[in-house]
Amino acid sequence: MDEVLAELSEYLSLKLDDRIEIGFAYGELTLLTRRDDLLDLLRFLHDDNRCRFISFTDLCGVDYPERAERFDVVYHLLSPTRNVRIRIKVTTDEDSPVPSVTEIFPGAEWFEREAYDMYGILFSDHPDLRRILTDYGFDGHPLRKDFPLTGFVEVRYDEERKRVIYEPVKLAQEFRNFDYLSPWEGTDYVLPGDEKAKGA
């Protein structure tokens, strides 16, 4: 572990002990916190002179449908003065909103809209929480693991009608399962033509 990260994790555990769980993943410090503590934690990381995480890098969602709180909301911050990155994780479900961080990091506005659009994650006190990547009438949230692979409808411009139309998705062919086995390992079934070789 990096010396700067070790020092930072020790400092954070002293200052925020009851509000965070500390871990390390992929060379970065990871803090797990509760939704109710998120804004206080981010404000501390932003304003504290030993932290100064003033650069908001990313916000993304992760879907674990088998969990009661199926979503992780993951924030990535950078401290230019310390040259260190940090990751903050919060869990939530489909109905419980996560506090919007746009008050602290105005650049998070479109990231939160994307997480709402792609996963259906709600953000309380967001200035403009609406879809950003999919169309207004889009049904569902495409990055959820239970979203159908083909979607529900397709959108296309109809030259005859001179407008955009929505149609149910029609597959050109039926789904097929491919086994992707190596030809050297063989298959669990007889390929067409092989039955002749086994009979000889």
Side-chain angles (χ1 to χ4, degrees), residues 44-181:
F44 175 83
L45 292 172
H46 183 276
D47 297 340
D48 186 81
N49 283 329
R50 290 188 60 183
C51 297
R52 301 297 291 148
F53 286 95
I54 59 171
S55 180
F56 183 88
T57 308
D58 188 28
L59 177 156
C60 61
V62 186
D63 186 15
Y64 299 97
E66 67 281 356
R67 294 188 334 202
E69 291 203 331
R70 71 182 285 179
F71 302 115
D72 278 357
V73 182
V74 185
Y75 302 82
H76 293 96
L77 307 177
L78 169 69
S79 172
T81 55
R82 301 201 62 168
N83 194 24
V84 173
R85 295 180 188 277
I86 196 166
R87 179 184 301 114
I88 298 97
K89 288 186 179 183
V90 176
T91 61
T92 191
D93 57 28
E94 297 177 46
D95 303 318
S96 305
V98 175
S100 174
V101 301
T102 54
E103 175 190 325
I104 304 164
F105 298 105
E109 181 181 345
W110 282 18
F111 289 95
E112 290 178 351
R113 284 180 60 188
E114 182 181 355
Y116 165 70
D117 193 2
M118 297 289 108
Y119 293 95
I121 298 169
L122 300 171
F123 293 91
S124 60
D125 300 320
H126 189 281
D128 185 22
L129 192 62
R130 60 189 165 102
R131 292 188 181 273
I132 191 170
L133 295 173
T134 59
D135 197 30
Y136 296 114
F138 192 85
D139 187 16
H141 303 283
L143 289 185
R144 286 188 178 185
K145 296 210 173 139
D146 54 6
F147 189 78
L149 292 177
T150 58
F152 297 110
V153 295
E154 67 180 336
V155 181
R156 67 177 180 82
Y157 183 77
D158 189 315
E159 194 61 47
E160 286 179 18
R161 299 179 196 171
K162 301 291 185 205
R163 66 182 182 90
V164 173
I165 61 169
Y166 296 83
E167 296 177 324
V169 171
K170 295 178 197 125
L171 299 177
Q173 66 181 32
E174 290 188 26
F175 280 118
R176 294 184 293 166
N177 289 328
F178 297 95
D179 56 22
Y180 300 108
L181 285 176

